[in-house]
C-alpha cells in the first residue's frame, strides 16, 4: 500500500481527535479495528490530501458539521436564530406601559369615579388596592404558565382576558362591583410582564438582551406617570368610563402585532406537566442568593413608592397635597426613564450584579441628599430625577441576575421577581404612613437606610459572579 496508515502518521485521524466530526465517517466501525484505517471509510480520508489539517482542526465551526456540535445551541435558552430586536423591544415596551399602567389609571380618576359610584374618593382607592394584590398573585401564575406553554401564548391569552375584564370595569354600577372587577383586571393584566421578560431571555440575542430588559422595565416605571396623565386627559373630555373603553380597545388591537412580531416559544420541559413549573418556585426560594435578590427588589420598590407617597403627604410646602404639583414632579422624572434605555449599551459593559449594587448605592445617596435639600423644590426635583434613574437601572440589572441564577426556571424566577415588586410597592405607602411623624426629611433618611440594606442583599450575587 503506497500510503501510510493513520497509525503511523504524525497527523492522527479524526477518530482520535478530541473534537470528532461526522465529516470523517458517518458510520464509524470501531469493531473492525481499534485504529480504523481510511480504507474502512466510504469517504476518502483527509490523509490523501496534501493539506490534511482541515478535519483535524481543534476549532471547528458548527455550520460546517451536521453532527451534535451544530445542534447543541438549539436549546430553549438559545434558539437557532434570534428574534429581531428592534420590533420586539418596541412592542413589549409599549405593552408594558399599557398593561402595568392599568394599576395607576384610577389614581387620576378617584374623584369622578367617586361621584359616579356614589361614594368617597378615599373608598375608591380600594380599586387600586384590589388591582395590586391580584396583580402580584397573577405574577406567580403567569411565570410557570409561560415556562410551560410559551411566552407568546400566555401573552395572547392574557390580552384577550384583560380586554374583557377592562370592559367589565367600565360598566361597574357600584363600588363593590368595581373593586371585584378591578381585581379580575389585575389578575389578567399580570400575565404580561413575567411572560414578556421571559420572552426576552429566550428569544433576544445576548448582546441586545440587556437593552431590551432596560427598555421594558423603564416603560413599566414610566407607566406610573404616563397613564395617570393620559387618564386625566381622557376623563376630562369623555368621562372616567372612556378610560377603560380606550384601554380595552388598545389591548384588543395589540393582539395583531403580538401574533406578527413575537415567536412561539419551545416548551422548556419534556415532562412533569404544569405542576413541574410550580414546583420550581419553592426550590428557588430555598436558595439564599435568590431570596436575597427578591428581598432587594422589595426594598427597591417600597423605597420608590414610599418616596413619592412622602412627597404627596409630607413633602415641602407647595407640593404636599397639591395634585398638579405632584403630577408635575413625577413628570420631571421622565427624562431619567428615557436616558437609562439610551445608555443601556454603555451600562451593559458592567456585569449585571455590579450594576445592581452601584444603582442601589446611587439611589441611597440621592435619597440621603434629598433628605437634606428637600425643603427646596428644584434640588428635590434633581434628587428625584437621579433616584428614578438609579431605580430604572437597578430593576433590569436584578432581572438579569435572577435569570442567570435560575437558567432552567426563568419564568418562575421572573414571576417571583414581579411578585416581589408589587409586594414592595404595596408596602411603600404603609412605610410612609408609619413614619409621617418623622417629617419629610426623616422619612427620606429611613428610606436611604433601607436602600443600604438593598446593597447588602445584592452583594452575595456580585461575590458569586466574581468567583465563577
Amino acid at each position: 500500500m503506497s500510503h501510510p496508515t493513520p497509525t503511523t502518521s504524525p497527523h492522527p485521524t479524526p477518530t482520535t481527535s478530541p473534537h470528532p466530526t461526522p465529516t470523517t465517517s458517518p458510520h464509524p466501525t470501531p469493531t473492525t479495528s481499534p485504529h480504523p484505517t481510511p480504507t474502512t471509510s466510504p469517504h476518502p480520508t483527509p490523509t490523501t490530501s496534501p493539506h490534511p489539517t482541515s478535519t483535524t482542526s481543534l476549532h471547528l465551526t458548527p455550520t460546517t458539521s451536521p453532527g451534535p456540535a451544530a445542534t447543541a445551541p438549539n436549546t430553549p435558552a438559545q434558539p437557532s436564530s434570534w428574534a429581531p430586536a428592534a420590533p420586539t423591544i418596541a412592542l413589549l415596551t409599549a405593552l408594558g406601559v399599557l398593561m402595568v399602567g392599568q394599576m395607576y389609571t384610577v389614581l387620576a380618576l378617584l374623584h369622578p369615579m367617586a361621584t359616579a359610584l356614589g361614594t368617597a374618593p378615599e373608598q375608591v382607592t380600594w380599586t387600586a388596592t384590589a388591582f395590586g394584590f391580584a396583580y402580584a398573585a397573577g405574577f406567580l401564575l403567569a411565570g410557570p404558565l409561560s415556562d410551560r406553554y410559551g411566552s407568546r401564548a400566555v401573552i395572547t391569552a392574557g390580552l384577550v382576558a384583560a380586554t374583557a375584564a377592562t370592559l367589565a370595569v367600565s360598566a361597574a354600577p357600584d363600588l363593590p362591583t368595581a373593586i371585584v372587577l378591578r381585581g379580575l383586571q389585575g389578575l389578567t393584566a399580570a400575565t404580561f410582564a413575567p411572560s414578556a421578560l421571559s420572552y426576552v431571555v429566550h428569544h433576544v440575542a445576548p448582546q441586545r438582551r440587556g437593552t431590551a430588559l432596560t427598555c421594558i422595565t423603564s416603560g413599566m416605571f414610566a407607566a406610573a406617570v404616563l397613564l395617570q396623565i393620559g387618564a386625566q386627559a381622557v376623563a376630562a373630555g369623555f368621562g372616567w368610563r372612556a378610560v377603560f373603553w380606550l384601554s380595552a380597545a388598545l389591548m384588543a388591537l395589540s393582539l395583531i402585532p403580538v401574533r406578527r412580531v413575537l415567536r412561539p416559544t419551545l416548551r422548556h420541559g419534556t415532562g412533569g406537566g404544569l405542576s413541574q413549573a410550580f414546583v420550581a418556585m419553592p426550590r428557588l426560594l430555598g436558595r439564599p442568593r435568590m431570596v436575597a435578590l427578591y428581598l432587594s427588589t422589595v426594598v427597591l420598590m417600597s423605597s420608590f413608592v414610599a418616596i413619592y407617597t412622602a412627597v404627596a403627604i409630607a413633602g415641602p410646602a407647595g407640593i404636599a397635597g397639591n395634585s398638579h404639583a405632584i403630577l408635575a414632579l413625577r413628570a420631571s422624572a421622565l427624562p431619567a426613564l428615557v436616558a437609562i434605555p439610551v445608555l443601556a449599551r454603555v451600562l451593559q459593559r458592567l456585569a449585571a450584579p455590579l450594576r445592581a449594587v452601584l444603582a442601589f448605592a446611587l439611589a441611597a445617596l440621592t435619597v440621603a441628599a434629598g433628605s437634606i435639600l428637600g425643603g427646596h423644590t428644584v434640588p428635590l426635583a434633581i434628587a428625584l430625577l437621579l433616584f428614578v434613574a438609579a431605580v430604572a437601572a437597578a430593576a433590569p440589572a436584578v432581572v438579569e441576575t435572577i435569570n442567570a441564577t435560575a437558567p432552567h426556571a426563568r419564568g418562575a424566577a421572573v414571576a417571583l421577581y414581579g411578585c416581589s415588586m408589587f409586594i414592595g410597592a404595596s408596602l411603600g405607602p404603609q412605610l410612609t404612613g408609619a413614619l409621617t411623624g418623622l417629617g419629610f426629611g426623616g422619612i427620606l433618611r429611613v428610606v436611604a437606610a433601607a436602600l443600604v440594606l438593598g446593597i447588602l442583599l445584592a452583594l452575595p450575587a456580585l461575590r458569586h459572579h466574581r468567583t465563577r
Side-chain angles (χ1 to χ4, degrees):
M1 189 172 181
S2 58
H3 299 284
T5 65
T7 57
T8 62
S9 173
H11 301 285
T13 64
T15 57
T16 63
S17 171
H19 300 282
T21 64
T23 57
T24 60
S25 172
H27 306 288
T29 57
T31 57
T32 60
S33 169
H35 302 284
T37 66
T39 57
T40 63
S41 171
H43 301 284
T45 64
T47 56
T48 62
S49 170
H51 302 286
T53 59
S54 61
T55 58
T56 61
S57 172
L58 299 181
H59 302 282
L60 301 176
T61 59
T63 56
T64 60
S65 172
T71 58
N74 294 332
T75 64
Q78 183 173 325
S80 57
S81 63
W82 300 111
T88 300
I89 293 172
L91 174 61
L92 294 181
T93 300
L95 277 175
V97 173
L98 175 63
M99 302 302 284
V100 177
Q102 296 304 309
M103 179 173 181
Y104 306 103
T105 53
V106 296
L107 299 181
L109 305 175
L110 295 178
H111 288 282
M113 287 183 69
T115 300
L117 300 178
T119 186
E122 293 79 10
Q123 297 299 317
V124 179
T125 58
W126 280 103
T127 61
T129 301
F131 186 101
F133 279 117
Y135 200 97
F139 260 92
L140 299 180
L141 296 173
L145 288 172
S146 175
D147 274 346
R148 176 60 178 167
Y149 297 108
S151 299
R152 190 180 78 165
V154 175
I155 290 174
T156 301
L159 282 170
V160 172
T163 299
T166 303
L167 281 174
V169 173
S170 70
D174 50 49
L175 181 61
T177 304
I179 292 173
V180 172
L181 292 176
R182 279 282 289 173
L184 180 61
Q185 186 193 26
L187 188 66
T188 55
T191 57
F192 170 75
S195 302
L197 297 176
S198 181
Y199 181 88
V200 167
V201 171
H202 286 105
H203 289 279
V204 175
Q207 63 269 27
R208 302 297 301 275
R209 194 172 295 159
T211 300
L213 291 173
T214 301
C215 290
I216 294 170
T217 53
S218 295
M220 293 176 184
F221 282 112
V225 176
L226 294 176
L227 266 290
Q228 286 191 67
I229 296 173
Q232 184 174 334
V234 172
F238 304 98
W240 69 270
R241 297 183 190 273
V243 174
F244 296 99
W245 297 339
L246 180 59
S247 295
L250 292 174
M251 291 176 193
L253 290 174
S254 66
L255 288 167
I256 298 173
V258 163
R259 300 299 292 180
R260 291 183 176 179
V261 175
L262 303 187
R263 297 179 175 184
T265 304
L266 295 174
R267 294 187 180 186
H268 310 319
T270 57
L274 183 60
S275 61
Q276 187 179 52
F278 287 98
V279 167
M281 286 189 178
R283 292 176 182 171
L284 292 172
L285 293 175
R287 301 169 63 178
R289 275 188 291 113
M290 293 295 289
V291 173
L293 288 170
Y294 291 135
L295 290 176
S296 72
T297 303
V298 172
V299 169
L300 183 69
M301 289 306 300
S302 61
S303 300
F304 178 74
V305 177
I307 289 295
Y308 279 104
T309 305
V311 170
I313 67 175
I319 296 178
N322 187 332
S323 60
H324 295 290
I326 294 171
L327 197 60
L329 195 60
R330 287 173 175 166
S332 68
L334 286 176
L337 297 172
V338 174
I340 293 300
V342 171
L343 296 174
R345 286 183 177 271
V346 177
L347 295 174
Q348 289 301 307
R349 297 175 184 174
L350 301 176
L354 178 59
R355 273 185 284 129
V357 170
L358 293 177
F360 269 101
L362 176 60
L365 287 173
T366 54
V367 172
S371 69
I372 300 172
L373 305 172
H376 305 280
T377 304
V378 174
L380 177 61
I382 295 173
L384 287 176
L385 177 71
L386 295 175
F387 169 69
V388 171
V391 172
V398 173
V399 172
E400 288 183 59
T401 305
I402 288 173
N403 280 322
T405 308
H408 301 297
R410 283 170 171 156
V414 173
L416 288 170
Y417 164 79
C419 184
S420 301
M421 284 184 65
F422 280 87
I423 289 175
S426 300
L427 292 175
Q430 304 304 320
L431 175 64
T432 299
L435 299 174
T436 304
L438 298 178
F440 184 69
I443 294 172
L444 265 61
R445 284 190 286 273
V446 172
V447 171
L451 289 167
V452 172
L453 175 61
I455 297 174
L456 298 177
L457 290 169
L459 280 176
L462 177 59
R463 286 196 294 265
H464 177 76
H465 174 79
R466 288 182 169 178
T467 56
R468 285 190 302 176

